[in-house]
């Protein structure tokens, strides 16, 4: 009698456990790569949950470039689309806030270094030695004084391009300073910049054949008090017009030059409007 009772108890316990396991397995398992709670940035600068589980990319991140080598790398202060063939970024994008436009972290404490997250061959400091080109920041160190790790990551070679010295210290630097001024004026701006390549065969530097850009672009979007955007193109030499707005153009023109689709997260009407106009900043 005792044995029969014990067998019955075991059968019932097993059925209960099996039912519990089935209930657990029926619940969706969160996958960090596929089911991420997404947020959208509203025009007031606040993040709110998206209506579905589809991942919403940051407003400043361009669409993927068809037919172009691309490895997306997320950093503390920016996102980069790295091109393994050119050893350059396709683009570098970041949101610059008024708070991030200033800080106490000094760039003098940091050095340029290889990005170990990309495969060899990759750009190294030796490629720039005696090349007659500066190590030109895309996302500038001056935009990342707010955080030590953010500052350190701006010196990765995946954020660097061979840049004419006169351009680097004059026109390009003036534009970087202007972007920080606009961030303080509007509260935040969304920025994407990168190289514009000429026709092949490309000029390269160093043992790892880092491509020398023909020019550089920078596009800037402000959402407040109303959406507007402006773009700039600088030739990679020291003879650009010293008046910054003489180098200004539309986002549409930069899209034509690069094949990059900027600000695809905007609604179509707003995107068409801001990309066609040369916004007054």
């Amino acid at each position: 009698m005792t044995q029969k009772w014990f067998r019955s108890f075991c059968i019932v316990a097993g059925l209960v456990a099996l039912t519990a396991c089935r209930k657990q397995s029926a619940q969706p398992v969160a996958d960090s790569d596929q089911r991420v709670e997404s947020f959208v940035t509203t025009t007031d600068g606040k993040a709110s949950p998206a209506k579905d589980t589809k991942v919403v990319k940051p407003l400043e991140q361009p669409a993927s470039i068809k037919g172009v080598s691309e490895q997306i790398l997320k950093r503390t202060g920016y996102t980069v689309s790295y091109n393994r063939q050119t050893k350059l970024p396709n683009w570098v994008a970041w949101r610059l806030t008024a708070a991030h436009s200033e800080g106490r972290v000094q760039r003098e404490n940091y050095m340029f270094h290889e990005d170990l997250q990309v495969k060899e061959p990759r750009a190294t400091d030796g490629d720039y030695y005696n090349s007659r080109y500066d190590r030109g920041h895309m996302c500038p160190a001056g935009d990342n004084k707010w955080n030590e790790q953010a500052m350190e990551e701006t010196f990765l070679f995946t954020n660097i391009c061979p840049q004419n010295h006169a351009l680097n210290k004059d026109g390009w630097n003036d534009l970087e300073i202007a972007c920080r001024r606009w961030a303080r004026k509007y509260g935040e701006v969304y920025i994407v910049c990168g190289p514009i390549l000429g026709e092949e065969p490309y000029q390269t530097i160093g043992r790892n054949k880092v491509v020398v850009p023909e020019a550089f672009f920078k596009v800037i979007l402000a959402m407040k008090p109303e959406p507007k955007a402006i773009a700039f193109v600088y030739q990679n030499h020291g003879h650009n017009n010293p008046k910054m707005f003489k180098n200004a153009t539309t986002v549409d023109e930069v899209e034509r030059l690069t094949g990059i689709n900027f600000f695809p997260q905007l609604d179509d009407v707003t995107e068409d409007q801001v990309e066609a106009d040369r916004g007054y900043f």
Side-chain angles (χ1 to χ4, degrees), residues 13-34:
L15 289 173
V16 171
L18 179 61
T19 301
C21 289
R22 285 177 176 173
K23 286 183 178 180
Q24 286 183 342
S25 62
Q27 296 176 354
V29 178
D31 185 326
S32 60
D33 292 330
Q34 297 178 2

Short mmCIF file of all heavy atoms in Angstrom, two decimals, residues 13-34:
data_model
loop_
_atom_site.label_atom_id
_atom_site.label_comp_id
_atom_site.label_asym_id
_atom_site.label_seq_id
_atom_site.Cartn_x
_atom_site.Cartn_y
_atom_site.Cartn_z
N ALA A 13 3.80 14.39 -8.97
CA ALA A 13 4.85 15.40 -8.87
C ALA A 13 5.52 15.62 -10.21
O ALA A 13 5.85 16.76 -10.60
CB ALA A 13 5.88 14.96 -7.82
N GLY A 14 5.73 14.53 -10.96
CA GLY A 14 6.35 14.65 -12.28
C GLY A 14 5.49 15.43 -13.24
O GLY A 14 5.98 16.26 -14.02
N LEU A 15 4.17 15.19 -13.19
CA LEU A 15 3.26 15.92 -14.07
C LEU A 15 3.24 17.39 -13.75
O LEU A 15 3.21 18.26 -14.63
CB LEU A 15 1.84 15.33 -13.95
CG LEU A 15 1.62 13.94 -14.55
CD1 LEU A 15 0.24 13.41 -14.20
CD2 LEU A 15 1.81 14.00 -16.06
N VAL A 16 3.27 17.73 -12.46
CA VAL A 16 3.29 19.14 -12.04
C VAL A 16 4.55 19.83 -12.53
O VAL A 16 4.53 20.94 -13.05
CB VAL A 16 3.17 19.26 -10.51
CG1 VAL A 16 3.43 20.70 -10.06
CG2 VAL A 16 1.81 18.79 -10.05
N ALA A 17 5.69 19.15 -12.36
CA ALA A 17 6.97 19.73 -12.80
C ALA A 17 7.00 19.93 -14.31
O ALA A 17 7.47 20.94 -14.83
CB ALA A 17 8.13 18.84 -12.36
N LEU A 18 6.47 18.94 -15.08
CA LEU A 18 6.45 19.04 -16.52
C LEU A 18 5.58 20.20 -16.98
O LEU A 18 5.93 20.94 -17.90
CB LEU A 18 5.94 17.72 -17.12
CG LEU A 18 5.84 17.66 -18.65
CD1 LEU A 18 7.23 17.86 -19.25
CD2 LEU A 18 5.26 16.32 -19.09
N THR A 19 4.41 20.37 -16.31
CA THR A 19 3.51 21.47 -16.66
C THR A 19 4.18 22.81 -16.41
O THR A 19 4.09 23.74 -17.21
CB THR A 19 2.22 21.38 -15.83
OG1 THR A 19 1.59 20.14 -16.09
CG2 THR A 19 1.27 22.54 -16.18
N ALA A 20 4.91 22.92 -15.28
CA ALA A 20 5.62 24.16 -14.96
C ALA A 20 6.68 24.47 -16.00
O ALA A 20 6.86 25.61 -16.42
CB ALA A 20 6.25 24.06 -13.57
N CYS A 21 7.42 23.45 -16.44
CA CYS A 21 8.47 23.66 -17.44
C CYS A 21 7.88 24.11 -18.76
O CYS A 21 8.43 24.98 -19.44
CB CYS A 21 9.27 22.37 -17.66
SG CYS A 21 10.33 21.94 -16.27
N ARG A 22 6.72 23.52 -19.12
CA ARG A 22 6.09 23.90 -20.37
C ARG A 22 5.63 25.35 -20.32
O ARG A 22 5.74 26.09 -21.30
CB ARG A 22 4.90 22.98 -20.66
CG ARG A 22 5.31 21.60 -21.14
CD ARG A 22 4.12 20.70 -21.33
NE ARG A 22 4.52 19.41 -21.89
CZ ARG A 22 3.69 18.39 -22.04
NH1 ARG A 22 2.42 18.51 -21.66
NH2 ARG A 22 4.13 17.26 -22.56
N LYS A 23 5.11 25.79 -19.17
CA LYS A 23 4.68 27.17 -19.03
C LYS A 23 5.85 28.13 -19.16
O LYS A 23 5.77 29.17 -19.78
CB LYS A 23 3.99 27.38 -17.68
CG LYS A 23 2.61 26.76 -17.62
CD LYS A 23 1.94 27.07 -16.28
CE LYS A 23 0.52 26.48 -16.24
NZ LYS A 23 -0.14 26.77 -14.94
N GLN A 24 6.98 27.74 -18.55
CA GLN A 24 8.17 28.58 -18.64
C GLN A 24 8.68 28.66 -20.07
O GLN A 24 9.05 29.72 -20.56
CB GLN A 24 9.27 28.04 -17.72
CG GLN A 24 8.97 28.31 -16.25
CD GLN A 24 10.10 27.82 -15.38
OE1 GLN A 24 10.92 27.02 -15.80
NE2 GLN A 24 10.15 28.32 -14.16
N SER A 25 8.72 27.51 -20.77
CA SER A 25 9.26 27.50 -22.13
C SER A 25 8.35 28.23 -23.09
O SER A 25 8.79 28.68 -24.15
CB SER A 25 9.46 26.05 -22.60
OG SER A 25 8.22 25.38 -22.64
N ALA A 26 7.06 28.38 -22.74
CA ALA A 26 6.14 29.08 -23.61
C ALA A 26 6.36 30.57 -23.60
O ALA A 26 5.95 31.28 -24.50
CB ALA A 26 4.71 28.76 -23.21
N GLN A 27 7.00 31.09 -22.53
CA GLN A 27 7.27 32.50 -22.44
C GLN A 27 8.44 32.88 -23.34
O GLN A 27 9.40 32.13 -23.45
CB GLN A 27 7.59 32.88 -20.99
CG GLN A 27 6.41 32.64 -20.04
CD GLN A 27 6.79 32.92 -18.60
OE1 GLN A 27 7.95 33.21 -18.33
NE2 GLN A 27 5.83 32.86 -17.71
N PRO A 28 8.38 34.03 -24.01
CA PRO A 28 9.48 34.43 -24.90
C PRO A 28 10.75 34.67 -24.12
O PRO A 28 10.74 35.24 -23.04
CB PRO A 28 8.95 35.73 -25.54
CG PRO A 28 7.93 36.24 -24.58
CD PRO A 28 7.31 35.03 -23.97
N VAL A 29 11.85 34.24 -24.67
CA VAL A 29 13.17 34.45 -24.06
C VAL A 29 13.80 35.66 -24.71
O VAL A 29 13.95 35.71 -25.94
CB VAL A 29 14.06 33.21 -24.24
CG1 VAL A 29 15.43 33.46 -23.65
CG2 VAL A 29 13.41 31.99 -23.61
N ALA A 30 14.18 36.62 -23.90
CA ALA A 30 14.78 37.85 -24.44
C ALA A 30 16.13 37.54 -25.05
O ALA A 30 16.96 36.85 -24.46
CB ALA A 30 14.93 38.88 -23.33
N ASP A 31 16.35 38.02 -26.25
CA ASP A 31 17.62 37.86 -26.95
C ASP A 31 18.21 39.25 -27.11
O ASP A 31 17.61 40.12 -27.74
CB ASP A 31 17.40 37.22 -28.31
CG ASP A 31 18.69 36.92 -29.03
OD1 ASP A 31 19.66 37.70 -28.87
OD2 ASP A 31 18.73 35.94 -29.76
N SER A 32 19.37 39.49 -26.54
CA SER A 32 19.95 40.83 -26.53
C SER A 32 20.21 41.36 -27.92
O SER A 32 20.29 42.56 -28.15
CB SER A 32 21.25 40.84 -25.72
OG SER A 32 22.19 39.96 -26.29
N ASP A 33 20.35 40.46 -28.91
CA ASP A 33 20.62 40.90 -30.27
C ASP A 33 19.34 41.11 -31.08
O ASP A 33 19.36 41.78 -32.10
CB ASP A 33 21.49 39.86 -31.00
CG ASP A 33 22.88 39.80 -30.41
OD1 ASP A 33 23.34 40.84 -29.91
OD2 ASP A 33 23.48 38.73 -30.44
N GLN A 34 18.23 40.51 -30.62
CA GLN A 34 17.03 40.54 -31.44
C GLN A 34 15.85 41.23 -30.77
O GLN A 34 14.99 41.78 -31.44
CB GLN A 34 16.62 39.13 -31.82
CG GLN A 34 17.66 38.42 -32.68
CD GLN A 34 17.26 37.01 -33.01
OE1 GLN A 34 16.20 36.56 -32.64
NE2 GLN A 34 18.11 36.31 -33.71
#
